Amino acid sequence: MSRRTQRPVRPVAPKACPCGLPAAYAECCGRYHSGAAAAPTAEALMRSRFSAFAVQDGPYLLRTWHPDTRPAGLDLDPGMRWTRLEILDTTDGSAFHTTGTVTFRAHYTHGSEAGSLHEQSRFSRVEGAWVYLDAVFAD
């Protein structure tokens, strides 16, 4: 009899992208998560990070965090379900900028409780790539 080992369970990638854009996950944020492409704007990085929370992709979140503010690790709550992202405002953050902000509301459910997170996130470029720097909670 062979001995089987348990592999860590990875959430199944959704067909529709969690970020809210009308594209399939694989062609939208999934390509950033896999490393096939880098987010071209601060807003694209914000959307991809929301999607990473939705699919529980901790390594991507850490990779796209500014080295000065990046935590040593993440403990993602498997009971937290990120359900919808609303981009409320953006400042700078294009190919022509080195910094940018994205104000958003992220909706979630945790158990039977629904809620939202209203935040303004700051982004900057490190070695040409957009990374998440920090945030100010708006609510």
Side-chain angles (χ1 to χ4, degrees):
M1 183 191 283
S2 66
R3 186 173 155 189
R4 289 187 170 187
T5 58
Q6 291 283 342
R7 288 189 220 173
V9 176
R10 286 209 32 109
V12 175
K15 290 189 188 298
C17 195
C19 81
L21 293 178
Y25 170 76
E27 287 82 43
C28 195
C29 295
R31 64 193 168 120
Y32 304 138
H33 296 173
S34 71
T41 65
E43 180 180 339
L45 182 62
M46 176 63 240
R47 288 180 178 280
S48 72
R49 287 177 57 83
F50 173 85
S51 292
F53 276 104
V55 300
Q56 302 265 314
D57 189 344
Y60 178 78
L61 292 166
L62 290 171
R63 257 191 342 268
T64 58
W65 212 309
H66 194 284
D68 291 346
T69 57
R70 179 187 307 132
L74 289 177
D75 186 21
L76 298 175
D77 182 348
M80 181 74 81
R81 298 284 179 243
W82 295 97
T83 58
R84 186 167 54 99
L85 177 66
E86 293 176 83
I87 301 295
L88 304 173
D89 190 31
T90 61
T91 304
D92 299 333
S94 77
F96 304 105
H97 300 105
T98 57
T99 62
T101 63
V102 179
T103 304
F104 66 92
R105 185 175 310 277
H107 298 268
Y108 64 86
T109 59
H110 191 261
S112 62
E113 297 286 320
S116 67
L117 172 73
H118 186 191
E119 181 178 299
Q120 182 181 65
S121 291
R122 293 190 317 151
F123 299 88
S124 67
R125 288 186 185 257
V126 172
E127 298 177 6
W130 284 107
V131 292
Y132 167 79
L133 181 62
D134 60 17
V136 175
F137 294 101
D139 288 341

